[in-house]
Amino acid sequence: MTSTNPALAAALEAAATGDPRRYVITGGPSSGKDDLIEAVHAAGIPCMAEEPGREIYRKHRERLGRHLLKEDRRAYSLEVLEAFIAEYTSHTHGIRFYNRGIPDGYGWEGFFGLKPTTELEDATRTYRYDAIFVLDPLDTFEDPDDIVWAKDREIRRVHELIVQGYYDAGYEPVFVQPDSAAARLDFICANLRLPKPSRGA
């Protein structure tokens, strides 16, 4: 896809043959991540197509005939981790945004009362990202897919655990305040010293 902002397109092209630069966008449920990822794609910035955990969750749910319970989550988590590692290693040059990253696993494992697996610990040390952007939760709540979040405090708890997971993994996340997807993407690009996509709209 070609960026609508010529300056941004030029910056992406200039970086395309250089070392890989990997940037994670993450946050708890109801953080506006899907809208922001859609804006990243619309701006022509290379990005993961979809958070892999969702499709894997659907497959496990179909096989089990119910939502995953705590005892189901080890196999699920390891499959998600494998997908994240494959996504990471397939990118070898230029800029790429990620819809969640490997250390997200710490937050989700913690929420379900599980300790991190050895595989997650090893992957976190081996596969490092260049920057982490955490979306602060929005006031509105949407649950389009898999997991029913009946209590606002559960949403907050997941968000806090994800953030803590990145700190524990040695990152210093950049927090992105609630705003429109376009404004949030402008903020992220400015932080990365990239031209703001909205200036080409």
Side-chain angles (χ1 to χ4, degrees), residues 21-148:
R21 292 157 63 184
R22 301 178 175 90
Y23 307 125
V24 171
I25 295 173
T26 188
S30 190
S31 63
K33 187 168 59 62
D34 289 347
D35 289 343
L36 179 54
I37 293 296
E38 184 177 337
V40 172
H41 284 289
I45 302 173
C47 182
M48 286 173 65
E50 187 177 356
E51 179 187 341
R54 291 185 174 180
E55 181 59 29
I56 295 171
Y57 191 96
R58 291 188 193 104
K59 291 179 180 177
H60 279 257
R61 186 180 61 185
E62 288 173 3
R63 177 176 59 82
L64 294 168
R66 55 169 170 74
H67 284 288
L68 270 65
L69 303 177
K70 179 178 178 179
E71 57 267 29
D72 305 317
R73 297 201 64 87
R74 280 298 187 213
Y76 164 75
S77 296
L78 290 173
E79 193 170 340
V80 171
L81 176 60
E82 184 178 351
F84 271 109
I85 291 173
E87 182 77 26
Y88 183 102
T89 56
S90 67
H91 178 62
T92 56
H93 295 91
I95 291 171
R96 187 168 181 81
F97 280 74
Y98 291 78
N99 187 343
R100 300 198 183 281
I102 290 170
D104 271 72
Y106 287 100
W108 293 101
E109 298 284 60
F111 181 75
F112 289 97
L114 299 171
K115 293 183 178 179
T117 62
T118 301
E119 290 87 345
L120 176 59
E121 300 275 22
D122 290 344
T124 299
R125 284 191 293 270
T126 302
Y127 306 108
R128 304 293 295 179
Y129 300 96
D130 295 283
I132 309 298
F133 295 94
V134 174
L135 305 186
D136 287 337
L138 302 174
D139 292 333
T140 56
F141 172 63
E142 295 180 357
D143 179 32
D145 285 306
D146 305 307
I147 304 172
V148 177

Side-chain angles (χ1 to χ4, degrees), residues 135-165:
L135 305 186
D136 287 337
L138 302 174
D139 292 333
T140 56
F141 172 63
E142 295 180 357
D143 179 32
D145 285 306
D146 305 307
I147 304 172
V148 177
W149 302 97
K151 301 176 181 176
D152 180 70
R153 66 175 180 272
E154 292 181 339
I155 297 172
R156 299 283 174 175
R157 180 64 175 155
V158 172
H159 180 82
E160 291 167 358
L161 288 169
I162 289 173
V163 172
Q164 187 60 53

